[in-house]
């Protein structure tokens, strides 16, 4: 219990610190570009038109809403983080107590072997999926609180008021908008990360090498980053579907089409070449073939 409380406190602190970054990322994902491109230089010294990065975007939000504006949607995100940590911990603990062995049956797999990695990954997948499903309603509320910045709405003003609003307008399903691509992205990212790390640790790293433990931890971090890059489109589609057609300007034309399903959203983004929109907040290039509309603060 003490470990779980410590994880909740640590997670809450990290959530507060990282919230402005997520806020800006979500606005960019939706397609909100309040500042026009500027002429700058890339890493090779060539003059190129660039989109404002993280700090310029943050200054724009502060100019309009003050420093507290960078923390819109923080309360439901803290709820999601705390509940998710508890659910993840409890499910993982139950799984370990039951000594679930997916591959090797009653015989315990050797640590570091493929059956052991598969078994541990399966346990983690179940725990993460349960936490994601339970906390997704708060994730939806978080995103909608953030996207209100675009149309200057106040439809989602608090956690409990937002719950009532979503239930009244969309029913139970409204709380799970964008859940499927989010789950798929999480599961794929976890398996890609762990399988790649296992291959690297098994065939590329010699146990006789010095600092083997540090090297394996580094390989896990690298494969995690690589996996998140590969599965980023799932996160993007999930976030867009969570705010799509919810009555906010950021989820309606011209910012977004009305998508019947997440697959329609995926296909539309793919056709437009926007599958990585919002993936980088520091080196943002001007989209090829797009025209900036200053009145609508977006690209066509």
């Amino acid at each position: 219990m003490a470990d779980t409380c410590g994880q909740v406190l640590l997670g809450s602190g990290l959530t507060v610190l990282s919230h402005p970054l997520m806020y800006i990322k979500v606005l960019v994902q939706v397609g909100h570009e309040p500042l026009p491109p500027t002429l700058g230089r890339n890493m090779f010294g060539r003059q190129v038109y660039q989109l404002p990065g993280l700090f310029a975007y943050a200054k724009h939000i502060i100019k309009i809403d003050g420093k507290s504006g960078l923390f819109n949607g923080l309360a439901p995100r803290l709820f999601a983080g705390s509940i998710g940590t508890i659910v993840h911990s409890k499910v993982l603990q139950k799984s370990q107590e039951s000594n679930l062995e997916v591959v090797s049956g009653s015989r315990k797999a050797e640590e570091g072997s493929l059956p052991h990695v598969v078994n541990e990954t399966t346990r983690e997948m179940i725990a993460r999926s349960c936490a994601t499903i339970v906390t997704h309603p708060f994730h939806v509320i978080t995103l909608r609180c953030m996207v209100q910045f675009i149309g200057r709405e106040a439809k989602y003003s608090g956690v409990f008021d937002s719950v009532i609003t979503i239930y009244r307008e969309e029913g139970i399903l409204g709380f799970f908008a964008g859940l499927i691509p989010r789950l798929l992205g999480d599961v794929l990212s976890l398996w890609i990360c762990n399988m790649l790390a296992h291959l690297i640790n098994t065939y590329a790293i010699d146990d006789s090498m010095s600092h083997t433990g540090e090297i394996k931890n580094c390989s896990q971090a690298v494969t995690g980053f690589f996996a998140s890059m590969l599965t980023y489109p799932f996160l993007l589609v999930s976030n867009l579907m969570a705010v799509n057609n919810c009555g906010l300007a950021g989820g309606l034309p011209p910012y977004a089409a009305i998508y019947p399903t997440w697959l329609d959203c995926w296909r539309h983004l793919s056709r437009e070449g926007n599958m990585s929109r919002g993936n980088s907040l520091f080196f943002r290039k001007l989209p090829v073939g797009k025209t900036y509309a200053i009145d609508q603060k977006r690209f066509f």
Side-chain angles (χ1 to χ4, degrees):
M1 184 65 183
D3 290 342
T4 302
C5 291
Q7 291 175 5
V8 169
L9 291 174
L10 177 61
S12 297
L14 294 175
T15 295
V16 173
L17 292 175
S18 65
H19 192 77
L21 178 65
M22 178 186 174
Y23 184 23
I24 294 169
K25 178 182 281 290
V26 169
L27 293 179
V28 174
Q29 286 176 336
V30 174
H32 187 55
E33 297 291 349
L35 302 172
T38 57
L39 189 62
R41 294 185 181 277
N42 61 16
M43 64 179 64
F44 302 106
R46 294 178 55 187
Q47 282 193 333
V48 293
Y49 278 99
Q50 299 174 332
L51 296 176
L54 173 67
F55 300 110
Y57 214 123
K59 288 180 181 179
H60 173 74
I61 294 174
I62 292 173
K63 182 179 179 181
I64 295 176
D65 290 338
K67 292 181 180 179
S68 62
L70 291 172
F71 296 93
N72 287 336
L74 177 60
R77 191 178 174 209
L78 286 173
F79 269 99
S82 300
I83 296 173
T85 299
I86 295 171
V87 171
H88 178 274
S89 177
K90 292 297 183 182
V91 173
L92 206 57
Q93 182 181 356
K94 290 293 183 181
S95 175
Q96 291 170 345
E97 287 175 356
S98 63
N99 196 26
L100 178 63
E101 292 293 341
V102 177
V103 176
S104 57
S106 59
R107 184 178 179 183
K108 188 172 180 61
E110 181 183 354
E111 187 173 353
S113 65
L114 180 59
H116 179 267
V117 173
V118 170
N119 182 54
E120 292 301 311
T121 303
T122 302
R123 291 181 181 180
E124 179 66 19
M125 178 187 69
I126 295 172
R128 282 195 192 183
S129 297
C130 290
T132 297
I133 293 171
V134 170
T135 61
H136 193 74
F138 296 105
H139 181 68
V140 171
I141 294 171
T142 297
L143 295 175
R144 295 185 181 186
C145 287
M146 292 174 170
V147 171
Q148 287 184 138
F149 176 80
I150 297 173
R152 310 305 299 159
E153 297 110 334
K155 184 176 181 179
Y156 300 93
S157 56
V159 176
F160 299 107
D161 289 341
S162 298
V163 169
I164 294 172
T165 299
I166 294 175
Y167 183 75
R168 183 176 63 245
E169 295 184 359
E170 303 170 57
I172 294 295
L173 292 179
F175 294 106
F176 298 97
L179 175 62
I180 294 177
R182 187 181 177 201
L183 276 176
L184 287 174
D186 285 348
V187 169
L188 286 173
S189 178
L190 177 63
W191 280 96
I192 291 171
C193 172
N194 287 1
M195 289 299 102
L196 282 179
H198 172 70
L199 290 174
I200 292 173
N201 294 339
T202 303
Y203 300 105
I205 299 177
D206 190 345
D207 289 337
S208 63
M209 298 169 58
S210 60
H211 307 292
T212 302
E214 291 82 350
I215 295 174
K216 288 185 177 182
N217 289 335
C218 182
S219 71
Q220 188 79 27
V222 171
T223 55
F225 176 77
F226 179 70
S228 67
M229 292 287 288
L230 286 180
T231 58
Y232 178 79
F234 289 95
L235 172 64
L236 174 61
V237 171
S238 173
N239 286 352
L240 292 182
M241 290 305 297
V243 301
N244 189 247
N245 198 24
C246 66
L248 299 177
L252 295 168
Y255 281 95
I258 304 301
Y259 305 116
T261 68
W262 70 271
L263 292 174
D264 295 297
C265 178
W266 184 290
R267 284 191 286 264
H268 181 261
L269 291 174
S270 182
R271 285 197 305 268
E272 295 290 320
N274 286 328
M275 295 302 287
S276 62
R277 187 171 65 192
N279 194 21
S280 173
L281 296 179
F282 292 99
F283 303 100
R284 304 183 59 217
K285 297 185 297 183
L286 188 69
V288 179
K290 299 289 185 179
T291 302
Y292 181 72
I294 193 169
D295 56 330
Q296 296 186 11
K297 298 179 179 179
R298 64 183 295 268
F299 284 97
F300 283 102

